[in-house]
């Protein structure tokens, strides 16, 4: 309820040519008292909105903060499905946990859960994703794709492509991908993807695409105990990224790629992903199921499994951690 009041106030500011909106006008439009309006204005100020009050003219929005409010994101959303419903949280354990629970409870496809900070951000295999507040993006998308469970891993490639294209939208950087779920800048990990699924033998109930991206975190705050060196977009470009702009563009990219996926299937995603993969053809090491495999990266198959050419033939790997081979 409070969110929708704030949303309406922000919409009024955006749609008024003079920029001034009187307290009486807001109170009439919202059907609430002047005191309730004042409280909402104060709440917006607390969130970082700079709102001036001019006697006999009203309120005017001077500057919006870079906060991830559902109302701001919805205003920028243009998609058919992903981003039409957004739930933003200040602090949560993990957006994936929240989105999976909402999926179990029957929430609609396309719902997006975003948190400013995570206290138990998840990586693969019980690992954690370091998620400081106010600087990065932690987002989960709930989907109900009409595919067999075995085909659902292809959606990791959809998230990877959406992230790469959004990085290109906001910068001159050249992102690379590393199988199965990493996005790198200059060989350092800038984003990690974690897809989770609820399924029956021959039916997907729902899939959650979890995306964590280091946008503005600076070097001193980056995790040091990491399997792979880490970076952020701001470190690479030397300037801050608008979280609001990045998120809005990412939701558009996810929406357009998912719409295409529903029509064309997963192969175009895999082909587009391979174009961002610099390790194809190179010697790699893969840690999987207590084994280390050495060989040449031969590509990915239609299910998104990794193909490695070894002295014993081509190995098909479904899960593991890839590194360029040590010379
Ligand atoms: C991943 O796992 O890379 C998947 C990360 C997915 C995070 C998102 S955030 C939104 C959504 N909600 C969640 O709870 N999760 C998803 P993996 O490949 O296992 O990599 C995890 C490893 O990356 C850790 O063990 C660390 O070594 C390293 N790491 C942790 N936090 C990092 C960070 N912020 N930046 C770079 N590397 C990090």
């Amino acid at each position: 309820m409070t969110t929708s009041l704030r949303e309406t106030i922000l919409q009024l500011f955006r749609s008024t040519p003079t920029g001034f909106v009187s307290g009486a006008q807001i109170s009439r439009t919202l059907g609430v008292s002047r005191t309730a309006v004042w409280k909402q204005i104060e709440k917006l100020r607390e969130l970082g909105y700079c709102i001036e009050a001019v006697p006999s003219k009203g309120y005017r929005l001077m500057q919006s903060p870079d906060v991830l409010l559902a109302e701001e994101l919805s205003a920028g959303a243009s998609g058919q499905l992903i981003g039409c419903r957004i739930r933003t949280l200040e602090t949560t354990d993990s957006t994936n946990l929240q989105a999976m629970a909402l999926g179990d409870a029957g929430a609609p496809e396309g719902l997006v859960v975003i948190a400013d900070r995570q206290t138990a951000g998840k990586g693969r295999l019980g690992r954690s994703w370091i998620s400081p507040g106010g600087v990065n993006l932690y987002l989960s998308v709930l989907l109900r794709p009409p595919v067999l469970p075995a085909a659902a891993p292809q959606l990791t490639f959809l998230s990877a492509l959406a992230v790469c294209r959004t990085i290109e939208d906001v910068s001159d950087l050249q992102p690379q991908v590393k199988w199965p779920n990493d996005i790198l800048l200059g060989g350092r990990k800038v984003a990690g993807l974690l897809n989770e699924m609820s399924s029956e033998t021959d039916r997907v109930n729902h899939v959650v695409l979890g995306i964590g991206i280091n946008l503005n975190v600076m070097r001193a705050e980056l995790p040091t105990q990491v399997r792979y060196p880490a970076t952020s977009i701001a470190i690479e470009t030397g300037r801050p990224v608008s979280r609001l702009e990045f998120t809005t563009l990412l939701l558009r990219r996810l929406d357009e790629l998912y719409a295409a996926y529903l029509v064309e299937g997963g192969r175009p995603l895999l082909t587009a992903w391979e174009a961002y993969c610099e390790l194809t053809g190179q010697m790699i090491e893969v840690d999987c199921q207590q084994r280390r495999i050495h060989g040449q990266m031969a590509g990915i198959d239609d299910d998104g499994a990794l193909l490695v050419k070894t002295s014993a033939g081509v190995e098909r790997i479904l899960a593991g951690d890839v590194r360029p081979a040590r010379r």
Side-chain angles (χ1 to χ4, degrees), residues 111-283:
L111 175 75
V112 176
V113 180
I114 299 177
D116 190 61
R117 160 200 322 266
Q118 296 184 119
T119 53
K122 298 205 295 176
R124 289 177 302 142
L125 306 167
R127 297 177 197 146
S128 32
W129 187 253
I130 315 269
S131 311
V135 281
N136 294 335
L137 178 59
Y138 318 111
L139 166 153
S140 298
V141 183
L142 176 70
L143 295 175
R144 299 185 184 279
V147 297
L148 289 171
Q154 288 179 337
L155 291 167
T156 302
F157 301 94
L158 188 152
S159 309
L161 269 184
V163 172
C164 287
R165 289 187 179 160
T166 309
I167 291 175
E168 289 170 335
D169 287 341
V170 302
S171 72
D172 294 329
L173 298 170
Q174 292 176 338
Q176 307 103 40
V177 291
K178 185 167 75 68
W179 187 89
N181 67 326
D182 291 350
I183 313 295
L184 311 177
L185 290 174
R188 294 172 170 267
K189 181 158 170 172
V190 70
L193 314 168
L194 178 68
N195 285 10
E196 295 187 270
M197 169 166 67
S198 154
S199 68
E200 288 155 38
T201 320
D202 54 359
R203 191 172 87 102
V204 171
N205 297 324
H206 55 267
V207 174
V208 164
L209 311 187
I211 303 176
I213 308 172
N214 296 332
L215 293 182
N216 291 318
V217 63
M218 295 318 286
R219 212 176 290 280
E221 298 162 85
L222 273 174
T224 44
Q225 300 293 324
V226 287
R227 303 171 63 85
Y228 219 77
T231 192
S232 70
I233 296 183
I235 292 172
E236 298 300 320
T237 58
R239 59 185 159 76
V241 193
S242 157
R243 291 195 301 158
L244 193 57
E245 184 195 3
F246 191 93
T247 311
T248 306
L249 294 171
L250 177 64
L251 293 177
R252 285 188 203 161
R253 289 291 188 185
L254 286 165
D255 188 70
E256 76 195 19
L257 285 165
Y258 188 59
Y261 167 77
L262 290 177
V263 177
E264 298 163 8
R267 190 61 242 182
L269 294 176
L270 300 171
T271 306
W273 181 92
E274 281 178 309
Y276 285 100
C277 183
E278 289 186 346
L279 285 178
T280 308
Q282 309 228 351
M283 295 307 288

Side-chain angles (χ1 to χ4, degrees), residues 8 10-19:
T8 316
L10 289 171
Q11 275 163 4
L12 275 174
F13 280 130
R14 280 193 212 98
S15 60
T16 310
T18 62

Side-chain angles (χ1 to χ4, degrees), residues 67-132:
V67 288
L68 298 173
L69 275 190
E71 43 266 58
E72 290 283 37
L73 291 164
S74 305
S78 62
Q80 305 293 310
L81 190 67
I82 298 176
C84 295
R85 286 191 184 76
I86 300 171
R87 184 169 289 202
T88 48
L89 305 163
E90 220 163 289
T91 301
T92 193
D93 43 8
S94 145
T95 55
N96 266 32
L97 282 176
Q98 297 300 319
M100 283 300 281
L102 288 162
D104 291 338
E109 182 172 53
L111 175 75
V112 176
V113 180
I114 299 177
D116 190 61
R117 160 200 322 266
Q118 296 184 119
T119 53
K122 298 205 295 176
R124 289 177 302 142
L125 306 167
R127 297 177 197 146
S128 32
W129 187 253
I130 315 269
S131 311

